[in-house]
């Protein structure tokens, strides 16, 4: 019987340790072949074999280390290629504002705001469902009665030259407008061209200003802004794509004071102070931009608000609405930036699937939530 001992090289612990570090079986075999069998009868050949083994070992371990290093940096490279994710701008908290005086005709506030209450016309009490964001399949809404945000509008009414010689006519047009919006319960507040603030519908009631518009903040989704948001309208008229606000300095000052008071009173996040063009949708054809007032010209900064145009449109990202060519023309560059960001976010959320497939799912969610919101509102009346 011939006894076969293991080759000497295999018997060495360092060889076994090194072989175990090599995952690839072919590389491991190359290494082992390079160190065995060793020719004990030819010392020069043995030295040569050890030398070759060391070279092979260094090459294999070197490539192993390079591979590991490359693997570690890969996610960083991938992350750098992806589109930036929207970060909400830091919002300054609304400063304290309190009511100084109240009479049968007006209210005055500590920040200089004066509200004319002579034309106030009650509608129906506010009540709506807010849906938790980030839990797409949990459609159970939370019932609320306090306003969650503000939608800014324009009246798109007749505009006369803003000059002293037209004072009488300007007043007459403004008064006619107040009557019109009161009859329609169209907004909570109207700011005329002289900067005078009129309360049209009480804050405790819903106004017919935004229909089934859509907005969301970091925590909640809203599908009926008539009920959930306050409406403030400026007496002005805008053009498609316009980027300069067509309002008087008095209107800006009054709007800033009114926004400050309402934000403080209801703890409204700055990100929930938006324009009608940003929130308006048509559920029949699933398009955004049914109304496009304040498309790209709203003076956010002058009202102490972050530029909310820089936010992806929630109706597109959350509920799969789309835009059409008409909207693209009317939007102007600032609002259109929010559309592009929404498209990028949708593509990211689709994670390789067709975006159309994702949209279909989002629309299903929208319809379920809208139906739930409508059921709750009808039951509450
Ligand atoms: Zn509007």
């Amino acid at each position: 019987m011939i006894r076969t001992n293991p080759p000497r090289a295999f018997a060495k612990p360092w060889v076994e340790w090194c072989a175990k570090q090599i995952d690839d079986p072919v590389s491991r075999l190359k290494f082992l072949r390079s160190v065995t069998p060793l020719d004990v009868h030819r010392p020069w050949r043995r030295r040569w074999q050890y030398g070759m083994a060391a070279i092979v070992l260094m090459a294999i371990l070197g490539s192993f280390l390079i591979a590991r290093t490359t693997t570690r940096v890969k996610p960083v490279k991938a992350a750098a290629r992806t589109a930036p994710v929207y970060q909400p701008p830091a919002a300054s908290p609304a400063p304290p504002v309190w009511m100084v005086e109240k009479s049968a005709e007006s209210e005055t506030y500590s920040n200089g705001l004066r509200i004319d209450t002579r034309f106030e016309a009650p509608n129906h009490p506010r009540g709506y469902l807010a849906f938790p964001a980030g839990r797409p399949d949990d459609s159970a809404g939370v019932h609320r009665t306090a306003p969650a945000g503000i939608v800014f509008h324009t009246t798109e009414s007749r505009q006369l030259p803003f000059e002293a010689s037209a004072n009488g006519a300007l007043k007459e047009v403004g008064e006619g407008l107040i009557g019109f919006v009161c009859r329609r319960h169209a907004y909570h507040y109207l700011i005329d061209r002289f900067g005078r603030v009129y309360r049209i519908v009480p804050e405790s009631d819903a106004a017919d200003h935004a229909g089934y518009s859509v907005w969301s903040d970091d925590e909640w989704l809203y599908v009926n802004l008539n009920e959930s948001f306050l409406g403030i309208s400026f007496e002005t008229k805008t053009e498609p794509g316009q980027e300069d606000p067509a309002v008087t300095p008095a209107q800006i000052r009054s709007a800033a004071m009114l926004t400050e008071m309402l934000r403080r009173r209801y703890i409204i996040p700055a990100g929930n102070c938006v324009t009608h063009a940003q929130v308006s949708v048509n559920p029949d054809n699933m398009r955004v931009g049914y109304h496009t007032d304040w498309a790209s010209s709203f003076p956010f900064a002058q009202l102490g608000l972050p530029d909310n145009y820089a936010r992806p449109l929630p109706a597109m990202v959350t509920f799969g609405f789309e835009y059409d060519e008409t909207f693209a023309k009317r939007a102007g560059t600032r609002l259109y930036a929010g559309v592009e960001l929404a498209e990028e976010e949708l593509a990211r959320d689709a994670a390789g699937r067709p975006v159309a497939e994702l949209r279909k799912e989002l629309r299903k969610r929208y319809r379920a939530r809208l139906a739930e919101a409508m059921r709750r509102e009808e039951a509450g009346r």
Side-chain angles (χ1 to χ4, degrees), residues 317-359:
V317 173
T318 313
F319 292 130
F321 280 83
E322 289 181 276
Y323 70 96
D324 57 22
E325 211 172 299
T326 309
F327 178 77
K329 278 182 195 158
R330 289 172 170 265
T333 53
R334 294 173 74 197
L335 181 57
Y336 195 72
V339 170
E340 288 181 316
L341 286 171
E343 296 272 273
E344 285 171 19
E345 195 165 325
L346 266 182
R348 217 166 26 236
D349 291 349
R353 284 191 302 157
V355 172
E357 200 178 291
L358 174 62
R359 269 204 193 99

Side-chain angles (χ1 to χ4, degrees), residues 227-278:
E227 293 283 333
S228 50
F229 279 41
L230 294 164
I232 298 177
S233 193
F234 295 68
E235 183 188 0
T236 188
K237 196 177 172 85
T238 53
E239 297 299 325
Q242 181 178 325
E243 298 199 7
D244 294 322
V247 286
T248 65
Q251 283 178 301
I252 299 268
R253 286 194 293 273
S254 294
M257 290 188 287
L258 178 59
T259 302
E260 197 174 65
M261 184 278 282
L262 293 172
R263 283 194 57 210
R264 183 72 187 190
R265 178 175 277 175
Y266 298 107
I267 320 297
I268 292 173
N272 282 3
C273 300
V274 290
T275 76
H276 200 185
Q278 291 176 276

Side-chain angles (χ1 to χ4, degrees), residues 151-156 186-187 209-210 232-233 275-277 280 291-294:
V151 177
F152 297 102
H153 302 263
T154 59
T155 56
E156 296 302 309
Y187 313 106
H209 67 105
I232 298 177
S233 193
T275 76
H276 200 185
S280 179
H291 292 278
T292 52
D293 42 321
W294 284 128

Side-chain angles (χ1 to χ4, degrees), residues 43-337:
W44 62 268
R45 190 167 175 185
R46 185 171 57 190
R47 279 198 297 276
W48 179 83
Q49 281 178 316
Y50 276 129
M52 284 303 292
I55 290 165
V56 170
L57 176 64
M58 283 171 72
I60 290 169
L61 287 181
S63 61
F64 170 71
L65 285 172
I66 288 166
R68 287 194 60 181
T69 309
T70 310
T71 305
R72 273 201 300 273
V73 300
K74 256 185 186 166
V76 177
K77 283 184 180 172
R81 277 198 300 273
T82 57
V85 176
Y86 170 76
Q87 296 291 331
S92 55
V97 181
W98 62 93
M99 191 190 288
V100 176
E101 215 165 60
K102 181 179 168 70
S103 73
E105 297 190 342
S106 68
E107 294 171 4
T108 54
Y109 289 82
S110 59
N111 65 348
L113 171 68
R114 182 183 180 280
I115 299 173
D116 190 323
T117 57
R118 287 176 295 160
F119 307 98
E120 198 173 290
N123 200 11
H124 64 264
R126 174 193 311 288
Y128 64 95
L129 292 181
F131 297 92
R135 285 194 283 156
D137 295 322
D138 179 1
S139 63
V142 176
H143 185 253
R144 291 203 214 158
T145 55
I150 298 171
V151 177
F152 297 102
H153 302 263
T154 59
T155 56
E156 296 302 309
S157 52
R158 185 180 167 209
Q159 299 290 287
L160 297 171
F162 192 68
E163 52 197 33
S165 60
N167 198 54
L170 282 164
K171 279 170 66 182
E172 201 177 308
V173 169
E175 282 157 17
L177 183 61
I178 293 169
F180 178 77
V181 298
C182 280
R183 285 193 295 280
R184 292 177 164 240
H185 301 107
Y187 313 106
H188 292 91
Y189 288 100
L190 172 70
I191 304 175
D192 77 4
R193 298 183 74 195
F194 301 110
R196 295 182 294 186
V197 178
Y198 297 94
R199 184 178 291 138
I200 306 299
V201 171
E203 292 159 18
S204 57
D205 290 2
D208 301 327
H209 67 105
Y212 289 104
S213 297
V214 170
W215 191 252
S216 74
D217 54 33
D218 294 337
E219 293 179 64
W220 299 99
L221 309 174
Y222 308 97
V223 295
N224 181 0
L225 303 196
N226 259 359
E227 293 283 333
S228 50
F229 279 41
L230 294 164
I232 298 177
S233 193
F234 295 68
E235 183 188 0
T236 188
K237 196 177 172 85
T238 53
E239 297 299 325
Q242 181 178 325
E243 298 199 7
D244 294 322
V247 286
T248 65
Q251 283 178 301
I252 299 268
R253 286 194 293 273
S254 294
M257 290 188 287
L258 178 59
T259 302
E260 197 174 65
M261 184 278 282
L262 293 172
R263 283 194 57 210
R264 183 72 187 190
R265 178 175 277 175
Y266 298 107
I267 320 297
I268 292 173
N272 282 3
C273 300
V274 290
T275 76
H276 200 185
Q278 291 176 276
V279 301
S280 179
V281 296
N282 182 354
D284 291 338
N285 63 9
M286 291 303 288
R287 296 278 189 274
V288 295
Y290 187 69
H291 292 278
T292 52
D293 42 321
W294 284 128
S296 266
S297 57
F298 192 73
F300 282 110
Q302 293 179 72
L303 268 62
L305 297 168
D307 181 7
N308 287 325
Y309 284 129
R311 180 166 187 168
L313 283 197
M316 294 177 67
V317 173
T318 313
F319 292 130
F321 280 83
E322 289 181 276
Y323 70 96
D324 57 22
E325 211 172 299
T326 309
F327 178 77
K329 278 182 195 158
R330 289 172 170 265
T333 53
R334 294 173 74 197
L335 181 57
Y336 195 72

